[in-house]
Amino acid sequence: MKLVPFLDHSCLTVALSGRLDSGTAPMLRAVLDEPPSGVTELVLDFDGLTYVSSAGLRILLSAQKKMSDCGGRLRIRNVCRDIVDIFETTGFDRLLAFEKKRRQLSVEGLERIGRGANGECYKVDEETVLKLYYEYIDEACVAREKDLARKAFLAGVPTAISFDVVACGNRKGVLYELLKAETLARYIEKNVHRLEEVTDMYVGLCRRLHSIEASRETFPDAVELACGYIDACDVFNDAQRAAVRDLLLRAERKNTLIHWDLHPGNIMMQGDEPCLIDMGDVAIGTPFFDLGQIKQVLYYYARMGLCHRIIGLNDEIAPRVWQLFIGKYLGHPAPDEFAALDGKINFFRAVKNVFLYLSGSGGEAMRSRRRDFIFEMLPPEIAALK
Ligand SMILES: Nc1ncnc2c1ncn2[C@@H]1O[C@H](COP(=O)(O)OP(=O)(O)O)[C@@H](O)[C@H]1O
Ligand SMILES: [Mg+2]
């Protein structure tokens, strides 16, 4: 085994190659037993490592314990398939924080076929698209989106097959089935003369998703996620935070799926067949989570002149789609009933904006706008709480 340590401030990286077994484990132990003082992060780069024995596993565990005892952490990077198998069979995959070694891809010469809030999409070949995330989006987040897409597909949601997480320089990506399709946003623009009919398709897809029952063991619960965001959000005082949480917990609980970013830029039309993409926020919860975000995009972003820029749908057409959509989705309720439901939609819009505010989506300028949105959309008695 070869071992190359590299110290950068408080982070000690040790690159390993060869085999980590009873013969070579003492070498690693010698380095880990006496790390330079002030090291709070230990990274073991397994790029060149092909095997780990039980003696090697014991050292990894003791290194992890040592780091956590001193308030630091151990991360293991670039773990090859064979070693992942060893981690999984021994149960060490649940004890150690590690990242798998990813296939490296280059986008040089590839056609860019789309761009969204999280990165760009490239055509790899006739069957495959690479969704390449911005560098600041970490691997766990990328892997989660891939995983949710797979689970949703298995649950019966029409969506692209997700293949594998790959690396592209410092960025991570996911390979998806290439849908021979255009976005619903584009499809609406082209078929604006039959907006009623196209909106029916949109409503149909949303209803279909919202009728798929799923388990909380498989998908996250939107209310739990949202409570976490509300707790972490600094725009509220304590009384407002408690009231928002309370309202959320009193809203109906559903065991059906939501997409949570269900705008026409995340729906692909294969001919007349709609299919969902961008599955990173899929969860279980009331459809009002989705309705809130759809209104945000089609109605409010359009009013701000941002709908076309963000999802590729004309800013004059989008609010017309919203009016038609919501009437149809809710089954054309009487005006007073509609007003009550619209209040509920606005509340869920506020909740989504709490999440978007925290994630920094849209940059600094948008961040302060989101703060205003949140208070405009909350029931006035909650916004007024001191
Ligand atoms: N599986 C796919 N097949 C074809 N085009 C896709 C696929 N996935 C994404 N795209 C294109 O890339 C764009 C951005 O993808 P999306 O997953 O929505 O990214 P973001 O999370 O950045 O919004 C889409 O609007 C679409 O045009
Ligand atoms: Mg998208």
Side-chain angles (χ1 to χ4, degrees), residues 249-294:
L249 289 166
R250 277 191 289 118
E252 82 260 358
R253 298 295 274 265
K254 288 261 164 110
N255 59 351
T256 44
L257 290 178
I258 59 160
H259 178 279
W260 223 346
D261 199 12
L262 198 45
H263 59 67
N266 282 335
I267 297 169
M268 305 294 289
M269 297 297 292
Q270 298 182 288
D272 288 339
E273 267 300 303
C275 187
L276 281 165
I277 56 167
D278 206 356
M279 310 291 281
D281 295 327
V282 168
I284 289 177
T286 164
F288 280 87
F289 281 108
D290 271 339
L291 300 181
Q293 173 64 0
I294 296 171

Side-chain angles (χ1 to χ4, degrees), residues 36-316:
S37 65
V39 168
T40 53
E41 189 163 9
L42 175 61
V43 178
L44 297 180
D45 190 340
F46 274 23
D47 198 18
L49 204 69
T50 53
Y51 178 74
V52 179
S53 74
S54 60
L57 289 174
R58 277 195 294 276
I59 294 215
L60 297 178
L61 210 54
S62 80
Q64 162 140 305
K65 181 161 184 318
K66 206 163 167 181
M67 289 310 292
S68 73
D69 285 351
C70 67
R73 64 177 186 147
L74 166 75
R75 281 191 303 137
I76 305 174
R77 243 199 238 142
N78 287 319
V79 184
C80 70
R81 187 64 247 171
D82 285 349
I83 298 180
V84 171
D85 281 348
I86 295 171
F87 283 178
E88 286 176 355
T89 0
T90 54
F92 270 58
D93 58 328
R94 276 167 276 142
L95 304 179
L96 298 169
F98 70 95
E99 285 179 7
K100 293 178 192 169
K101 186 180 202 152
R102 299 298 181 190
R103 192 176 132 198
Q104 276 284 346
L105 275 187
S106 160
V107 292
E108 216 182 289
L110 298 186
E111 179 195 350
R112 196 177 79 194
I113 57 168
R115 192 212 286 262
N118 300 312
E120 302 109 22
C121 287
Y122 294 88
K123 180 175 170 180
V124 176
D125 57 38
E126 288 310 313
E127 279 81 40
T128 332
V129 54
L130 167 66
K131 178 168 176 178
L132 188 59
Y133 297 77
Y134 293 125
E135 201 172 326
Y136 67 85
I137 299 180
D138 67 22
E139 174 159 344
C141 206
V142 171
R144 199 194 52 186
E145 179 164 333
K146 186 213 116 182
D147 212 37
L148 282 171
R150 200 185 118 258
K151 288 173 175 168
F153 184 68
L154 277 172
V157 178
T159 186
I161 301 173
S162 55
F163 294 111
D164 203 10
V165 177
V166 296
C168 183
N170 291 331
R171 297 169 68 179
K172 294 289 185 300
V174 176
L175 293 174
Y176 285 100
E177 167 190 14
L178 172 72
L179 301 169
K180 310 264 177 340
E182 60 188 348
T183 64
L184 176 63
R186 186 80 202 92
Y187 185 91
I188 290 172
E189 288 191 352
K190 287 204 321 213
N191 291 281
V192 74
H193 53 283
R194 49 183 198 106
L195 210 50
E196 288 263 354
E197 202 185 317
V198 177
T199 308
D200 283 336
M201 285 181 198
Y202 186 14
V203 171
L205 176 70
C206 295
R207 287 223 179 107
R208 181 168 161 199
L209 175 73
H210 295 155
S211 67
I212 297 178
E213 294 187 358
S215 115
R216 284 187 175 72
E217 263 114 65
T218 314
F219 292 94
D221 180 326
V223 170
E224 268 169 36
L225 290 177
C227 281
Y229 305 146
I230 291 161
D231 289 345
C233 189
D234 62 9
V235 305
F236 300 121
N237 61 38
D238 289 347
Q240 289 165 334
R241 185 172 295 114
V244 174
R245 274 190 72 121
D246 184 54
L247 196 53
L248 188 60
L249 289 166
R250 277 191 289 118
E252 82 260 358
R253 298 295 274 265
K254 288 261 164 110
N255 59 351
T256 44
L257 290 178
I258 59 160
H259 178 279
W260 223 346
D261 199 12
L262 198 45
H263 59 67
N266 282 335
I267 297 169
M268 305 294 289
M269 297 297 292
Q270 298 182 288
D272 288 339
E273 267 300 303
C275 187
L276 281 165
I277 56 167
D278 206 356
M279 310 291 281
D281 295 327
V282 168
I284 289 177
T286 164
F288 280 87
F289 281 108
D290 271 339
L291 300 181
Q293 173 64 0
I294 296 171
K295 182 174 182 185
Q296 164 94 358
V297 175
L298 293 185
Y299 189 73
Y300 288 91
Y301 286 172
R303 271 201 349 194
M304 294 163 75
L306 290 175
C307 193
H308 188 261
R309 208 167 87 206
I310 297 176
I311 72 154
L313 178 60
N314 178 289
D315 289 297
E316 261 116 59

